[in-house]
Amino acid sequence: MRKPGEDSSTVREPVHEVRAGERVDGYRVGEPLHEGGMARLYRVSFSRSRRPLVMKVPKLGPGSPLSAWAAFENERQILARLHGPHVPRRVAVGDSRHRPYLVMEYIEGDALARAAARAPIAVDELRDLGARLCRAVHDLHRQNVIHLDINPANVRDRPGGEMVLLDFGVAHHAALPDHIDAAFGEEEGTTPYIAPEQVRHVRTDPRSDIYAIGAILYHLATGHYPHGRPNLLSLKKRLFEPPRPPRLHNPAVPAWLQEIILRCLAIRPERRYATAREVAYQLTHPETVHLTRRAHRLTRSGLLTRTRLWWRSLYEVFEDTAPRHPQEHLTRHPHVLVALDPAPADRSLRYALRDAVRKLARSEPHAYFTFLSVVKRVPEAGEDNDAPTANSSTVQCLAEMRNWAQPLHLRPERVHFQVIPGAPVAALVEYAQAHAIDHVILGARAKVGVDRLLGSVSYRVMRHVPCSVTVVRTREPLPAPAPGRRRR
Amino acid sequence: MRIAILSDLHSNLEALTRVCEHAAALGAERYVCLGDFIGYGADPAPVLERVMALPGLVAVRGNHDEALFREMGREAFPEIRRAIAWTRERLSPVQLNFLDGLPLLVHDGRVTYAHASAHQPDAWEYLRQPDQIPACLEAAGTPMTFIGHVHVPRVFYETAAGAVRELVPQDGMAVPLSVSARYVINVGSVGQPRDGNNAACYVLYDNVAHEVTFHRLAYDYVTTARKIRDAGLSPFFAERLAYGR
């Protein structure tokens, strides 16, 4: 290890090359792993640890791009502020004046890159990979960082399944000075995955990462890039031409998947999904995807449309309409879970619940809602013919929920309806955790029987979900209608 | 070493007291005041007493301080002129002497301190937009310039290609400074913040770790406002403290 003060008086050329077998500050350099435009990666080991590590060394000196240093500094600063399973753990940083390097944990899995190499892949595998990627991106945005260069080569995975995002050379941290210059001449990101606003040098919109996710999904589903082979024309084309529908390349792509992909790839950021979490949700719950006309399109957009979009692109401005901080952007697009009792005992509570949802929908115009009913259990097929079958009761339950929500007049893409089997508390808590729900709204029933001993459902949900919970209560229940009386 | 950089105190004793306590607790060893010690507020003498006792003080002159000795420009509001005249009667000769002797610019190694801008410092230009920054950078001749005057905390920085960008700093989050870049840092205002946040604002500059941290501190502006009204100064000066405008 370098001792403090050592070498501080002599000015040396920064080390821009290390060789296999060499020792750098106690790290034994192994085989070179990868050489990119800005940096080289080596496998390294440390005597006291058996963890596999990589060392990133920026390309400096004659013949290397000017921006290599800026990219390296950028990555060093951003990585120091990131944590969690979706980013590589930073192990050591070399003295940036004399020995600039970065040692990180080595992440073995490259499932996404391998899948991309054999695209098109099966829809189920795509859903799984896509949802995992979205969760990683969402976690990054939560930490105020926009990646801006998401592509299969920059995504690895851990044995536990978590995707890990690599290479923060052109990333943007909302609370740090941004020294990355688009004016250097090199293009940011990797051509097929660059969002239209990135072509125009906007670096502050988290929805640029949503576009990259869309491009990756497009490629996984079809084996083609959204705008054809990467070149300068394909770069400009994304400003005025919607990509060809994925089903044109691969008829096996379901309509809902085409809807998701094309929404991710919208030219204007505000037309895309607002958060990666929403994309993950739709990929895991295809039945909740609101299909629009583009879901079924099988032809390229018409000449008229393309001319109109081209004309518009000439004066298209991508201003920074998104809030300055990705975190703030996320809080403006909360995912709200509304728990509905499948067998409502109390009408007034249902009205009160709807009122609570209406207030929230008004004050949070970008919130999206999942209305969830937990049914006790799903009868096995062939079991007890008299009991309503799982299917018909689920359908009826969904119908009732839709009817209940109808007076709210929420846009269809803002609402999802779900019926899941299970024990009420456990199922709600698990659902809220799995989908990173921001806010739960549920009604509190009058305490009866077992509830009095164990605590009510609302109380137990409140104790276990990791987010805000609104419990709706009514002052006193309306008298239940008594249908038998009139007959007497 | 940690240096606390304060600006635009504007005779606000409550805010200054809060800021000094906070900076001392975080280990500030030296203090820099970027001018506008007086004006608006009702505690000019106690504020100056406190400022002049700060350890290792470096201070520059602001437009309000200058107005004590020179006629203000024609654009100055009558209420502000009246506050200046009111202040003049309440300062001791020693305090007036201190203010009269302040320089417009101080160069200290890699850093320049100014009230409004290093470029024509006596023109009192408001540096609000990135396109105003290059002139200040060139005139300063140092990688870093600390300013006040606008009452809005900002970090302006120049990228390697020469473009100037701005960063809205977050409370308590350190902003790392690159050795190779140039910065103009507006430290906000202690005594009359105008960015919509009514908390006092100051900067701690760590010249070893090479980073700046903006701190926002809630203080008792109700008392400050009451003193302003009791002194017969413009009620607007009192009111705006609550809004941070």
Side-chain angles (χ1 to χ4, degrees), chain A residues 259 263 270-275 278-279 281-282 288-292 294 333-335 365-371 409-417:
Chain A
E259 174 74 33
R263 187 163 163 202
E270 58 273 18
R271 295 272 178 94
R272 296 175 208 148
Y273 290 98
T275 64
E278 203 176 344
V279 185
Y281 183 82
Q282 303 249 288
T288 64
V289 177
H290 173 67
L291 301 182
T292 63
R294 67 182 155 209
H333 297 83
H335 188 173
H366 301 294
Y368 57 104
F369 296 86
T370 295
F371 296 107
H409 300 298
L410 295 168
R411 286 197 320 275
E413 68 273 17
R414 275 182 83 186
V415 285
H416 313 301
F417 297 94

Side-chain angles (χ1 to χ4, degrees), chain A residues 97 174-181, chain B residues 157 159-161 165 170 176 181 183:
Chain A
R97 296 233 180 140
L176 292 182
D178 187 339
H179 289 284
I180 301 300
D181 274 302
Chain B
Y157 57 100
T159 66
R165 296 194 187 138
Q170 286 184 306
Y183 297 86

Side-chain angles (χ1 to χ4, degrees), chain B residues 208-225:
Chain B
V208 178
H210 210 52
E211 58 187 29
V212 288
T213 310
F214 288 74
H215 292 285
R216 301 308 294 256
L217 303 166
Y219 71 95
D220 180 14
Y221 64 78
V222 178
T223 301
T224 316

Side-chain angles (χ1 to χ4, degrees), chain B residues 9 11 13-14 19 35 45 57 61 67 89 107 110 113 127 150 178 244-245:
Chain B
L9 278 49
S11 306
L13 183 64
E14 288 72 27
V19 164
L57 177 72
R61 190 193 312 176
E89 289 163 22
H107 297 284
R110 293 169 50 81
Y113 300 112
L127 300 187
V150 187
S178 165
R245 289 282 177 207

